[in-house]
Amino acid sequence: MSIIWGLFFTPEDFVQGNSYRIIYLHVPASFLSQTLYLAMAISSVTYLIWRVKLAAYLIIAIAPIGAMTTFIALISGSIWGIPTWGTWWQWDARITSTLILFIMYLGLISLHNSFSNHEKADKLLSWLVIVGAANIPIIKKSVDWWSTLHQSASITLTDKPSIDPVMLYPLIGSIIGFFGLMICLVLLSSKYQILHREKNKSWVRDYV
Amino acid sequence: MFNFAFNSLYEALYMNGHGLYVWSVVILVFISLLGFFIGYTVKIKKIKDKLNEPN
């Protein structure tokens, strides 16, 4: 609903014209790409400290969804860059660190799939996710630390939003909507992981 | 706040020349989400069917 609100019921931007409407898909996707990685990092810590099996399943359940949101963020940003910056790609700090996040997601999925011993894979994956979490603050702060083509954040926790409320409300709505959709996807993916990993257990056969 | 920003459907699709960029992103997101939803639903169904097979 919020995406429709943003696409059809918000006024045209004075500088960027109608291309700014990509914001209603690009911002939620990039916000979630980082949030999902943080969720993976929290699951990793939970798994390594308390050995909760479900946390390990959650890591590999989130990874493909995180890769998808990062892919959407990168592609939508590139498409937005053509009319706005005159180029689809620039090796600036924000874009490059997001590309690194995407490669990390793909690497973690490939690594997990390459192991036949699931327990070993879970342990290694958890450590790698924790190490890789260092990239999240780099992505977040890249626009402040370096001079980048990418604009700085329009919404922050500390300052007043630099975006007009008419455009801001549907943006917040689309972030919340995307968040809900991703929770549904993570639940589906987790269900698959549990069924796949526990398929030899009697409780799974009873459940099915 | 809820005024339609365009005068016609054509204008809404064309978006002063930016429609191609905006709609390609919308399609990309729609296909990605739908693909993942269908993909996981099929995977879950397959594994359930396999588990239900008589040994």
Side-chain angles (χ1 to χ4, degrees), chain A residues 5-208:
Chain A
W5 182 5
L7 287 176
F8 295 112
F9 296 94
T10 53
E12 190 175 337
D13 184 69
F14 176 67
V15 181
Q16 297 185 35
N18 283 308
S19 69
Y20 95 93
R21 294 180 200 278
I22 294 173
I23 201 172
Y24 298 109
L25 297 159
H26 174 73
V27 170
S30 37
F31 171 75
L32 274 156
S33 65
Q34 295 159 47
T35 308
L36 288 170
Y37 196 91
L38 283 179
M40 278 171 64
I42 293 166
S43 298
S44 299
V45 172
T46 310
Y47 176 67
L48 289 173
I49 297 175
W50 292 288
R51 299 277 164 209
V52 181
K53 262 200 294 186
L54 202 64
Y57 297 168
L58 199 58
I59 301 167
I60 197 61
I62 293 173
I65 299 158
M68 183 256 287
T69 53
T70 315
F71 179 74
I72 290 173
L74 283 169
I75 298 295
S76 59
S78 294
I79 293 172
W80 196 0
I82 299 168
T84 313
W85 299 334
T87 179
W88 65 275
W89 189 264
Q90 188 75 35
W91 291 100
D92 90 344
R94 172 60 69 85
I95 306 169
T96 309
S97 52
T98 306
L99 178 67
I100 291 169
L101 179 68
F102 180 58
I103 295 168
M104 269 162 43
Y105 272 125
L106 294 185
L108 292 167
I109 298 165
S110 312
L111 188 77
H112 193 269
N113 292 342
S114 67
F115 272 80
S116 51
N117 183 336
H118 286 310
E119 229 170 273
K120 244 185 190 172
D122 291 338
K123 218 184 270 180
L124 183 65
L125 210 69
S126 303
W127 280 112
L128 286 173
V129 168
I130 293 167
V131 172
N135 190 34
I136 301 300
I138 294 174
I139 297 174
K140 206 89 208 145
K141 285 283 169 191
S142 56
V143 285
D144 304 320
W145 290 343
W146 294 283
S147 168
T148 64
L149 193 59
H150 196 285
Q151 70 173 75
S152 49
S154 305
I155 311 168
T156 60
L157 288 173
T158 48
D159 299 316
K160 200 172 166 246
S162 59
I163 179 170
D164 192 272
V166 177
M167 297 165 175
L168 177 67
Y169 297 145
L171 180 59
I172 292 171
S174 59
I175 292 172
I176 295 168
F178 246 74
F179 201 84
L181 271 174
M182 291 309 144
I183 287 175
C184 293
L185 265 183
V186 169
L187 287 174
L188 263 181
S189 172
S190 304
K191 186 176 177 179
Y192 168 71
Q193 281 300 326
I194 294 167
L195 288 174
H196 177 66
R197 299 275 293 267
E198 302 277 316
K199 63 186 169 205
N200 296 324
K201 305 275 169 66
S202 60
W203 74 266
V204 173
R205 290 184 184 275
D206 292 342
Y207 165 75
V208 174

